[in-house]
Amino acid sequence: MVSIKDVAKEAGVAISTVSKVLNHYPNISEQTQKKVMDAVEKLNFVPNQVAAALSSKRSGRIALLLKLNMKTQAIDEIDMQYISGALAMAQEKKLDVITVFYSVIAEMNLQEMIRYFSSQSISGIVIFGMNDDDKVLHQLIESQTFKIVVVDGAETNESTSVVGVDHYQAQYDVAQKTMRENMCRSILYIAGMRNSYVTHEKIRAMEDLAKKHNVKLLIRNGDFSELKARNIALRYAKNKDIVVCGSDLMAIGAMKALIDMDIFRPVCGFDGIILMGYVGKQMNTVKQNFFKVASESVCELNRLLNGSSGRKVRLPYTLVRLKYEDIIC
Amino acid sequence: MVSIKDVAKEAGVAISTVSKVLNHYPNISEQTQKKVMDAVEKLNFVPNQVAAALSSKRSGRIALLLKLNMKTQAIDEIDMQYISGALAMAQEKKLDVITVFYSVIAEMNLQEMIRYFSSQSISGIVIFGMNDDDKVLHQLIESQTFKIVVVDGAETNESTSVVGVDHYQAQYDVAQKTMRENMCRSILYIAGMRNSYVTHEKIRAMEDLAKKHNVKLLIRNGDFSELKARNIALRYAKNKDIVVCGSDLMAIGAMKALIDMDIFRPVCGFDGIILMGYVGKQMNTVKQNFFKVASESVCELNRLLNGSSGRKVRLPYTLVRLKYEDIIC
DNA sequence: TTGTATGCGTTATCAG
DNA sequence: CTGATAACGCATACAA
């Protein structure tokens, strides 16, 4: 393996000089800079990130924390977009990435969790799909031991940012659009996980919308489950005018239920996943760019790592209807 | 951060002794062993893997090489299963994992690729979805620079294993089952990527099957694309008795085409992805356990890392039909 | 502007 | 059986 030492020898300079050139230190003469870069080029040298991390203490290693649902592929689609978006930006920012599933850390207390990440030289974490009742994670955030970006999260602090679309506004928009396209005096809203931050936001949006337009609103809890949404729709959809769902997967469950009941109600979803194209019926939905969400999260994390302080980053969304023709390729 | 030095001081022994205890060296007295373990416990010490990797050169870091398809969610499902299976086993075997997409290394030559992985202290690689014409990857395998497991691959060598189901037999079985369930004198086979190893196997199976049962066989290339399969079905399915596809996604494309043409032909797929449950029509397919494939691959890689030599590992499969009721949850 | 020396946390090689 | 001590590859304060 070719090391910085070889480069130094080849270029006829000291190791530290090579290091400085590579890390863009100021006060290096054009000449030595060129000598070093030539040697790097010639030897095809790539710095050993592990050694660099050890030496500098500032590892450049970040963790992606994902909540994996082993049964529902819609989640797979979103998680894959998250992963690829994150990796793309990580590569650009030269960050080393490890992927961790909630199941791995589920049983840990705060100290164990800190040790777990520390032992891996992690300095930043992107948390996807966090809930209110992930108590230890909240403690982890409050401890400010690591720089953290929470996707679709709520609170920020000095070393914690949140990134995501405005779920309140998006839910409001898509539901209002669906209302306006149809005669609507009453809405069935099938909400996501009760303890999820985005669910609070979305319910708030629906309540405000219902109040503004003076329509009846029935809220039921679908827990992001296709099956639960199906059962809720079977039970309550009949005497409502439209069905609004907190996720596409639940919208699909509800729509399938309506088809089985042989009645029609407009259904709208949330997320814009490809699976929507396979269902046969078109629905309004909010298209989030999960790739972008993740890449922006890593970008933001990188900023935190470089000393900036936590903040809230809002990403755009669009309202769409997905047809089979749109998604086949 | 508590280091091995702190443990040594606490236990009243030398650093090297602590290291030996931790790495289960022989010839350590019960007594010091206990002293060290007590100190480890008390200080809540977890070894720094980064430093260990640097020092030992044998990193315990492995890379997952995935071919990401940004448009088709079916692939997402499979890739997610791969990732989670791999991570699960990696955790068990205490291996550090990084995830790499083909796009990252696509343009590299052999030397650059070796440097890339070396610089990350990678010692083993699991390659998913490799094709015949990934020339540089073949060189990488031949170079035996790293321990490698190729999922659904062909050749092995001293430091390379292959893991996967028997695609020949599986394709044979599912097609034969579908044939027997229907009057069948002619088959349309929509094959996967031309340059993929599994495609060769599957085509061979179909040819043998057709010969044995003395039925007509038309083979067309669908490249694992839902759209291409659709077009092929539109064009050729009408005067064939059954349609056999090299992947579920193509089976879905073909089935949708048949529905559009308003004719019925039995279609069978391959993979057993959840999306099959959403299509409305049931089809025979081969269910692979992708989670298991990946976890077994990592397990096998671990064995290679520990000095065993390359071999071929066969995993089981089952024939199934997926209904919406099976996949909703 | 460049080079020297030290340390990061661990493993590994020797003496003892 | 245990303990110094030299690497591992790189970053960085400090000296020149």
Side-chain angles (χ1 to χ4, degrees):
Chain A
M1 185 188 189
V2 32
S3 81
I4 196 173
K5 199 190 294 179
D6 305 311
V7 177
K9 201 187 300 171
E10 175 71 31
V13 299
I15 291 180
S16 58
T17 305
V18 176
S19 176
K20 284 168 191 163
V21 171
L22 260 35
N23 294 291
H24 305 105
Y25 271 56
N27 302 333
I28 306 280
S29 75
E30 286 280 333
Q31 199 183 22
T32 43
Q33 203 153 135
K34 182 168 177 353
K35 274 195 300 187
V36 169
M37 292 317 273
D38 285 351
V40 166
E41 198 73 25
K42 178 174 176 192
L43 298 180
N44 224 321
F45 169 73
V46 182
N48 182 323
Q49 299 193 25
V50 173
L54 179 61
S55 176
S56 65
K57 292 295 297 171
R58 157 196 61 67
S59 73
R61 266 172 67 93
I62 64 173
L64 266 34
L65 191 51
L66 290 165
K67 194 163 278 180
L68 191 63
N69 181 325
M70 291 298 296
K71 299 205 78 175
T72 312
Q73 96 173 135
I75 313 293
D76 295 339
E77 178 186 345
I78 295 174
D79 283 337
M80 249 353 256
Q81 296 288 326
Y82 278 154
I83 293 179
S84 45
L87 289 186
M89 182 58 76
Q91 196 194 357
E92 193 180 317
K93 301 292 184 188
K94 299 192 183 314
L95 294 171
D96 196 14
V97 175
I98 70 168
T99 308
V100 179
F101 292 129
Y102 272 68
S103 56
V104 173
I105 59 159
E107 306 297 325
M108 294 183 186
N109 62 35
L110 180 59
Q111 199 176 43
E112 289 168 334
M113 205 176 283
I114 291 177
R115 280 193 299 112
Y116 174 78
F117 287 116
S118 301
S119 81
Q120 313 230 35
S121 300
I122 293 298
S123 45
I125 308 174
V126 182
I127 303 181
F128 297 93
M130 189 172 124
N131 283 345
D132 291 349
D133 52 1
D134 293 322
K135 295 276 288 178
V136 182
L137 280 182
H138 274 102
Q139 292 170 27
L140 187 69
I141 290 171
E142 278 160 25
S143 79
Q144 302 203 24
T145 315
F146 306 101
K147 302 297 184 179
I148 295 183
V149 169
V150 183
V151 171
D152 292 336
E155 331 103 275
T156 69
N157 63 32
E158 188 56 25
S159 41
T160 309
S161 290
V162 302
V163 173
V165 308
D166 185 339
H167 282 73
Y168 173 91
Q169 195 59 48
Q171 183 66 84
Y172 194 99
D173 288 353
V174 73
Q176 180 166 261
K177 179 182 177 199
T178 308
M179 270 182 64
R180 290 191 171 151
E181 288 168 355
N182 304 274
M183 271 300 146
C184 177
R185 303 297 310 154
S186 60
I187 302 176
L188 169 61
Y189 183 68
I190 306 181
M193 209 79 80
R194 182 178 293 115
N195 48 28
S196 142
Y197 167 67
V198 295
T199 297
H200 300 321
E201 290 289 290
K202 288 171 178 173
I203 287 179
R204 201 159 59 75
M206 291 307 297
E207 286 169 345
D208 289 355
L209 181 70
K211 189 181 297 174
K212 181 186 162 199
H213 291 272
N214 193 31
V215 301
K216 281 242 171 72
L217 175 66
L218 176 69
I219 300 177
R220 280 295 174 269
N221 208 292
D223 280 346
F224 291 129
S225 151
E226 190 171 348
L227 183 56
K228 284 191 184 170
R230 174 188 169 82
N231 291 332
I232 291 169
L234 286 174
R235 178 143 174 209
Y236 298 106
K238 188 160 177 137
N239 42 30
K240 300 288 173 238
D241 296 326
I242 70 172
V243 180
V244 178
C245 299
S247 79
D248 282 347
L249 207 58
M250 294 194 294
I252 291 170
M255 179 57 90
K256 290 256 186 195
L258 290 166
I259 294 173
D260 286 357
M261 290 192 292
D262 203 27
I263 63 179
F264 176 76
R265 296 288 179 280
V267 176
C268 79
F270 201 109
D271 285 341
I273 60 176
I274 298 208
L275 190 57
M276 287 291 263
Y278 284 90
V279 182
K281 301 279 182 190
Q282 284 185 40
M283 301 177 244
N284 286 329
T285 191
V286 174
K287 176 131 195 82
Q288 299 191 60
N289 186 337
F290 294 107
F291 183 95
K292 191 79 186 303
V293 168
S295 63
E296 282 302 314
S297 295
V298 170
C299 192
E300 175 64 21
L301 185 54
N302 187 54
R303 208 166 9 225
L304 290 176
L305 256 18
N306 289 331
S308 304
S309 46
R311 57 172 185 170
K312 187 167 287 203
V313 179
R314 283 280 177 231
L315 263 30
Y317 58 89
T318 53
L319 303 187
V320 299
R321 299 171 76 86
L322 290 173
K323 298 195 295 289
Y324 183 62
E325 296 83 81
D326 295 333
I327 55 103
I328 190 176
C329 59
Chain B
M1 186 188 189
V2 34
S3 81
I4 196 172
K5 199 189 293 180
D6 305 310
V7 177
K9 200 187 300 172
E10 175 72 31
V13 297
I15 291 179
S16 54
T17 305
V18 177
S19 176
K20 283 168 191 161
V21 172
L22 260 34
N23 294 289
H24 304 105
Y25 272 54
N27 301 334
I28 306 280
S29 74
E30 287 279 334
Q31 198 183 23
T32 42
Q33 203 153 134
K34 181 169 179 345
K35 273 195 299 188
V36 169
M37 291 318 273
D38 285 350
V40 166
E41 199 72 26
K42 178 174 176 193
L43 298 180
N44 229 320
F45 168 73
V46 180
N48 182 322
Q49 299 191 26
V50 173
L54 178 61
S55 179
S56 66
K57 293 296 298 170
R58 158 197 60 67
S59 71
R61 295 192 85 200
I62 65 173
L64 265 33
L65 191 51
L66 291 166
K67 194 163 278 181
L68 191 63
N69 181 325
M70 291 298 296
K71 299 205 76 174
T72 313
Q73 99 175 132
I75 312 292
D76 295 338
E77 178 185 346
I78 296 173
D79 283 338
M80 250 352 257
Q81 296 288 325
Y82 278 155
I83 292 179
S84 46
L87 288 187
M89 182 59 75
Q91 196 195 358
E92 193 179 318
K93 302 293 184 187
K94 300 193 183 311
L95 295 171
D96 196 13
V97 176
I98 69 168
T99 309
V100 179
F101 292 129
Y102 273 69
S103 56
V104 173
I105 58 158
E107 306 297 326
M108 295 183 186
N109 62 36
L110 179 60
Q111 200 177 43
E112 289 168 336
M113 205 176 282
I114 291 177
R115 296 237 182 292
Y116 174 77
F117 286 116
S118 301
S119 83
Q120 313 230 34
S121 301
I122 292 298
S123 46
I125 308 174
V126 182
I127 304 181
F128 298 92
M130 190 172 124
N131 283 346
D132 292 348
D133 53 0
D134 293 322
K135 296 275 289 178
V136 181
L137 281 183
H138 274 102
Q139 292 171 26
L140 187 70
I141 290 170
E142 278 160 25
S143 79
Q144 301 202 24
T145 315
F146 306 102
K147 303 296 184 180
I148 295 183
V149 170
V150 183
V151 171
D152 293 334
E155 333 104 272
T156 69
N157 63 32
E158 187 57 25
S159 41
T160 310
S161 290
V162 302
V163 173
V165 308
D166 185 339
H167 281 72
Y168 172 92
Q169 196 59 49
Q171 182 67 85
Y172 194 99
D173 288 354
V174 73
Q176 180 167 262
K177 180 182 177 201
T178 308
M179 270 182 64
R180 288 189 171 151
E181 289 168 354
N182 304 274
M183 270 301 144
C184 177
R185 304 296 310 153
S186 61
I187 302 177
L188 169 61
Y189 183 68
I190 306 181
M193 210 77 81
R194 182 180 291 113
N195 47 28
S196 142
Y197 167 67
V198 295
T199 297
H200 300 322
E201 289 290 288
K202 289 171 178 173
I203 288 178
R204 201 160 59 76
M206 292 307 297
E207 285 169 345
D208 289 355
L209 180 70
K211 191 181 296 173
K212 181 187 163 201
H213 291 273
N214 194 30
V215 301
K216 282 242 171 71
L217 175 65
L218 176 68
I219 300 177
R220 280 296 173 269
N221 208 292
D223 280 345
F224 291 129
S225 151
E226 191 171 348
L227 182 56
K228 284 191 185 171
R230 174 188 169 82
N231 291 332
I232 291 169
L234 286 175
R235 178 143 174 208
Y236 299 105
K238 188 161 176 133
N239 41 30
K240 300 288 174 240
D241 295 326
I242 70 172
V243 181
V244 177
C245 299
S247 78
D248 282 347
L249 207 59
M250 294 193 294
I252 291 171
M255 179 57 90
K256 291 255 186 195
L258 290 167
I259 293 173
D260 286 355
M261 288 191 293
D262 203 27
I263 64 179
F264 175 76
R265 296 289 180 279
V267 176
C268 79
F270 201 109
D271 285 341
I273 60 176
I274 300 210
L275 190 57
M276 287 292 262
Y278 285 89
V279 181
K281 300 278 182 190
Q282 285 184 40
M283 302 178 242
N284 286 328
T285 191
V286 174
K287 177 131 195 81
Q288 299 192 59
N289 185 336
F290 294 107
F291 183 95
K292 191 79 187 302
V293 168
S295 63
E296 281 302 314
S297 295
V298 170
C299 191
E300 176 63 22
L301 184 54
N302 187 53
R303 205 161 18 221
L304 291 176
L305 256 18
N306 289 331
S308 303
S309 46
R311 58 173 184 170
K312 186 168 289 203
V313 180
R314 282 282 177 232
L315 263 29
Y317 58 88
T318 54
L319 303 186
V320 298
R321 298 171 76 86
L322 290 173
K323 298 194 295 288
Y324 183 62
E325 296 83 82
D326 296 333
I327 54 103
I328 190 175
C329 59

